[in-house]
Amino acid sequence: MQFPTPISLKQISELINAEIIGNESAEAKGINEIHKVEEGDLVFVDHPKYYNKCLQSAATHIIINTKDIEIPKGKNLLYVENPFEAYLSIVNYFRPFTAATQAINANVQIGENTIIMPNVFIGKDVKIGNNCIIYPNVSLMDYTEIGNNVIIQSGTVIGSDAFYYNTQKSRNVWYKKMLSCGNVRLEDFVEIGAACTIDRGVTATTIIGQGTKIDNMVHIGHDTQVGKNCLFAAQVGIAGAAIIEDGVTLWGQVGVSKTLTIGENAVVMAQSGVPSSLKGNKTYMGFPAEDAGIKRREYVWIRRIPEIWERIMKQA
Amino acid sequence: MQFPTPISLKQISELINAEIIGNESAEAKGINEIHKVEEGDLVFVDHPKYYNKCLQSAATHIIINTKDIEIPKGKNLLYVENPFEAYLSIVNYFRPFTAATQAINANVQIGENTIIMPNVFIGKDVKIGNNCIIYPNVSLMDYTEIGNNVIIQSGTVIGSDAFYYNTQKSRNVWYKKMLSCGNVRLEDFVEIGAACTIDRGVTATTIIGQGTKIDNMVHIGHDTQVGKNCLFAAQVGIAGAAIIEDGVTLWGQVGVSKTLTIGENAVVMAQSGVPSSLKGNKTYMGFPAEDAGIKRREYVWIRRIPEIWERIMKQA
Amino acid sequence: MQFPTPISLKQISELINAEIIGNESAEAKGINEIHKVEEGDLVFVDHPKYYNKCLQSAATHIIINTKDIEIPKGKNLLYVENPFEAYLSIVNYFRPFTAATQAINANVQIGENTIIMPNVFIGKDVKIGNNCIIYPNVSLMDYTEIGNNVIIQSGTVIGSDAFYYNTQKSRNVWYKKMLSCGNVRLEDFVEIGAACTIDRGVTATTIIGQGTKIDNMVHIGHDTQVGKNCLFAAQVGIAGAAIIEDGVTLWGQVGVSKTLTIGENAVVMAQSGVPSSLKGNKTYMGFPAEDAGIKRREYVWIRRIPEIWERIMKQA
């Protein structure tokens, strides 16, 4: 999330009751979670395991619960006891949650020749381009951006919250919701099937690239970036912060893990599971997904085990 | 389902036109299906294969289509020709189906600071606690109970009917719907993603325990009991009457079969299939799900089959 | 799609600006895609790879982008530069898209004792029989036909568009939507769970046969024909133009590929993947789905690979 205008660390420190270690007149451009930080951003970290990752990230200002740490040149710390709560305070200040009270809410822009069918919900600050069709019972949550010539079939939800929690198993309630302040962007000529869910970014933008077509009941996690001209068949699921490059085809019920990359024009056969990155321009199969040719031979080898057994028995 | 007050067998017998074999002034506290029966309950059985299971269950009163059977001490039979139809009559009498006619129906309780967004449907006798957020296009069906600080994302259905049928392949229509009279209970701090479905119990309560967080497109079957602080990723499916103990993590697209138990703090890796009970405090993988370490070695062994073949060929 | 009355090729040729090669007073009864064509139909083909398949199909009139081809006796060609665009023109002429403007639209027929709950959307020309229950937030799209005694749980979408595209990777936008002009028919005593999606046929009818029961989050693709008394558990997905014969059981999360046949009374175990046709009256398991007994022995053999290895090492 970018702030409307850059904010001085002094102002931020007053908002979250932090001690500034560094230049208090420095300015923060926005706040992002660790996978999406850019120069000028605030980031937060509360576990020693991730201190260094955050300090070495692109973020310029780190909200942290230690002072006993070497600060990289040009960076500033904001010391607080509970960085996660500090994050929540900043999000609540800049993007306060507001209860929608009507089917189409404040600051909604709808382009020419765009059709909004009955029972559609459109949250605040949603922008929809020209020549779109939004079918009945669709929910477009706050800040969603939709290009031109986009079609969304019935029952689909765009911009639901990220499934992203702060975990402490010492608490009575282990998982505490990390508020989402990001959004979803569907580029031109995107088509989304019925009963799909595309989560908004935690702090950044979940993107579906131009011309990508998505079948029914597909789930796409927060902050995932899908390229242009991809084709996802029904019941595909993609976890958070994945990168799916241009021209990728995922057949039915494929599952894709988080924070990995699938290279351009890769094809993943139905029901495969993708636990780690895949190179482009190849066809994959099975769990864990590997080269489809190798996998097919593997199936044949498995069927030959009894024959192998028999041969050994004869030789014994 | 418990009756509002205990009902004499005499009254029940008049309702379903049954012959009482036993004490007609005995009282029934409620009616439940075989997985959920308690002392004082009515249960029904229509197939000789299950006669003994029902007679030996906790149920006190058995609606049955035979008289030629030994009755356990302290139990009573209600003889009818068609026990399934008798069950339907009792459910229709005590929990008659009524057609909802408005978005928010009779006897709904909504707590303080709870937000109900547009296009939400709330059935009769639904109770919602304080500080909840119910997003647009959610359906909360009759008798659903929701605690405090619960969040439900758009498009989710809580309390749809159990997928539970009386089967007779000699009929023109093989499957006859077993009417649901149970409900769903979501405890405090539960969060449910978008486009999920949680079925009501057939006769009892489907429970999601305190602090459990559920991602998008998760299906949970009738009468399943999910413990506290569980975490279910997107597109998980759990069949009916399963028990998921506290702190269990199920990653994306995991499938869990019916009437089994997953022990506390178990972790099941993405896309795994769980056909039978799993012990707690371990990590599982694959289909059928087994210890993840063993399963990973199995994948390595499969890749070595060609090498095994080559060695045998050399030895031959 | 059948035309309201047969249309002369001359009229069709004027609509799509085609050159008739054959009998211009011949009449077309309707237009269908290649999987569903019948005698008297128009069909279109734009790729040399499929020219022969179309010419040899049941279709009588072929919209095609070549003249250099032998015409089977009794058939007629309609020559155009872009057969796909010609198809779209015909669909737009006979079944023009209209934006729904209200929850229940023009020419809807609703039978006796049928209950339509709040927030349901019903498109134009939808017919619903007697004694049905349509739960809240269901979407019934244009031309859907529903028999008697049908139940549809909340959030389900019947008649969403086919996931079917004309592909040309030389274009900026690779995939161009093939407009759907077919529909969905649910026969008597069908029950559909919550959050399901059943796509309309591209040009024909997606059919769910009498007495078939479908659990939550099941996806059924365009033009698929499901027989009578089938049982599909939650999260099953069936691709387009498949034939599922009577009495088939598919357990949870099963995936079925397109244009194949599953024979009557077949049972497919949970999470299996069906890439090609299966014979009836057998039980199947795994991916690719095969005889369950064989598959179970295969799992046992896999676990024995280390033992095989050990034996070889001893013999070496």
Side-chain angles (χ1 to χ4, degrees), chain A residues 97-103 105 119-121 137-139 141 155 157 159-163 165 169 171-177 195-199 217-220 235-238 253-256 258 271-274 286-288 290 295 298 301-302 304-305 307-309 311-312 315, chain B residues 115-119 133 135-138 151 153-156 188-189 191-196 210-217 228-235 246-251 253 265 267 269-272 285-286 299 302-303 305-316:
Chain A
F97 171 82
T98 52
T101 52
Q102 48 198 39
N105 289 276
N119 295 359
V120 168
F121 171 85
N137 285 319
V138 163
S139 303
M141 310 311 292
V157 180
S160 33
D161 284 352
F163 190 67
Y165 293 93
K169 297 198 174 174
R171 283 193 300 242
N172 189 28
V173 175
W174 290 5
Y175 303 105
K176 207 164 172 181
K177 187 185 185 69
C196 290
T197 61
I198 304 182
D199 282 353
M217 285 190 211
V218 170
H219 162 72
I220 295 180
Q235 296 179 324
V236 159
I238 304 178
Q253 298 186 333
V254 160
V256 177
K258 63 180 179 178
Q271 287 196 324
S272 300
V274 183
F287 177 85
E290 53 186 313
K295 201 75 192 175
E298 207 175 276
W301 278 114
I302 288 172
R304 291 184 68 183
I305 303 175
E307 183 192 345
I308 291 175
W309 179 256
R311 278 178 184 268
I312 296 175
Q315 290 177 14
Chain B
I115 293 163
I116 309 292
M117 298 235 191
N119 296 357
I133 307 175
Y135 277 91
N137 284 319
V138 163
I151 300 176
Q153 302 282 325
S154 299
T156 281
D188 297 350
F189 296 99
E191 298 182 27
I192 311 282
C196 290
Q210 186 184 300
T212 285
K213 311 295 185 187
I214 294 179
D215 200 352
N216 298 343
M217 284 189 211
K228 298 184 198 309
N229 293 315
C230 291
L231 196 74
F232 299 166
Q235 297 178 324
D246 294 351
V248 167
T249 300
L250 306 179
W251 290 113
Q253 298 184 333
N265 303 318
V267 175
M269 303 302 285
Q271 287 194 324
S272 299
M285 202 170 171
Y299 293 146
I302 288 172
R303 285 197 205 95
I305 303 175
E307 184 193 344
I308 292 175
W309 178 257
E310 217 174 297
R311 279 180 183 266
I312 296 175
M313 288 297 105
K314 264 190 205 154
Q315 289 178 14

Side-chain angles (χ1 to χ4, degrees), chain A residues 22-286:
Chain A
N23 174 8
E24 72 173 30
S25 64
E27 289 182 326
K29 291 181 184 166
I31 186 164
N32 271 308
E33 55 95 30
I34 183 65
H35 297 98
K36 296 288 175 183
V37 283
E38 298 175 11
E39 206 191 313
D41 275 355
L42 284 158
V43 73
F44 83 90
V45 59
D46 60 3
H47 197 292
K49 197 171 149 188
Y50 301 113
Y51 283 169
N52 261 316
K53 190 174 178 186
C54 273
L55 287 163
Q56 303 307 328
S57 75
T60 306
H61 318 291
I62 296 97
I63 304 170
I64 198 165
N65 53 352
T66 184
K67 298 177 188 179
D68 181 20
I69 202 153
E70 207 180 324
I71 309 172
K73 209 186 147 200
K75 302 213 170 180
N76 304 295
L77 297 194
L78 288 152
Y79 172 79
V80 295
E81 266 186 47
N82 193 327
F84 176 67
E85 294 294 337
Y87 165 84
L88 297 182
S89 298
I90 293 169
V91 170
N92 276 324
Y93 183 82
F94 288 99
R95 287 223 167 144
F97 171 82
T98 52
T101 52
Q102 48 198 39
I104 298 184
N105 289 276
N107 294 320
V108 167
Q109 293 174 28
I110 298 176
E112 279 179 29
N113 298 317
T114 282
I115 293 164
I116 309 291
M117 297 234 191
N119 295 359
V120 168
F121 171 85
I122 307 182
K124 67 178 176 187
D125 293 288
V126 170
K127 290 177 195 163
I128 308 176
N130 303 324
N131 309 313
C132 296
I133 307 175
I134 312 297
Y135 277 90
N137 285 319
V138 163
S139 303
L140 306 176
M141 310 311 292
D142 300 357
Y143 306 107
T144 296
E145 302 165 53
I146 296 177
N148 300 316
N149 302 293
V150 168
I151 301 176
I152 303 177
Q153 302 283 323
S154 299
T156 281
V157 180
I158 309 289
S160 33
D161 284 352
F163 190 67
Y164 205 84
Y165 293 93
N166 176 278
T167 307
Q168 280 184 30
K169 297 198 174 174
S170 55
R171 283 193 300 242
N172 189 28
V173 175
W174 290 5
Y175 303 105
K176 207 164 172 181
K177 187 185 185 69
M178 178 133 165
L179 289 182
S180 294
C181 58
N183 74 337
V184 174
R185 182 162 65 238
L186 310 180
E187 294 183 356
D188 296 350
F189 295 100
V190 163
E191 298 182 27
I192 311 282
C196 290
T197 61
I198 304 182
D199 282 353
R200 63 197 292 205
V202 176
T203 61
T205 298
T206 306
I207 299 169
I208 311 297
Q210 185 183 302
T212 286
K213 311 296 183 187
I214 294 180
D215 200 352
N216 297 343
M217 285 190 211
V218 170
H219 162 72
I220 295 180
H222 65 88
D223 296 293
T224 284
Q225 292 180 29
V226 176
K228 299 184 198 310
N229 292 315
C230 291
L231 195 73
F232 299 166
Q235 296 179 324
V236 159
I238 304 178
I243 295 173
I244 314 296
E245 294 184 353
D246 294 351
V248 167
T249 300
L250 305 179
W251 290 114
Q253 298 186 333
V254 160
V256 177
S257 195
K258 63 180 179 178
T259 63
L260 54 72
T261 299
I262 299 185
E264 56 177 6
N265 303 319
V267 175
V268 184
M269 303 301 285
Q271 287 196 324
S272 300
V274 183
S276 49
S277 292
L278 298 177
K279 285 187 183 160
N281 300 302
K282 286 181 66 177
T283 298
Y284 298 90
M285 202 172 172

Side-chain angles (χ1 to χ4, degrees), chain C residues 29 258 261-262:
Chain C
K29 291 182 184 165
K258 62 181 178 177
T261 298
I262 299 184

Side-chain angles (χ1 to χ4, degrees), chain B residues 98-139:
Chain B
T98 52
T101 53
Q102 49 198 38
I104 298 185
N105 289 277
N107 293 321
V108 167
Q109 294 175 26
I110 299 176
E112 280 180 28
N113 299 317
T114 282
I115 293 163
I116 309 292
M117 298 235 191
N119 296 357
V120 168
F121 170 84
I122 306 182
K124 68 178 175 185
D125 293 289
V126 170
K127 290 177 195 166
I128 309 175
N130 303 324
N131 309 313
C132 296
I133 307 175
I134 313 298
Y135 277 91
N137 284 319
V138 163
S139 303

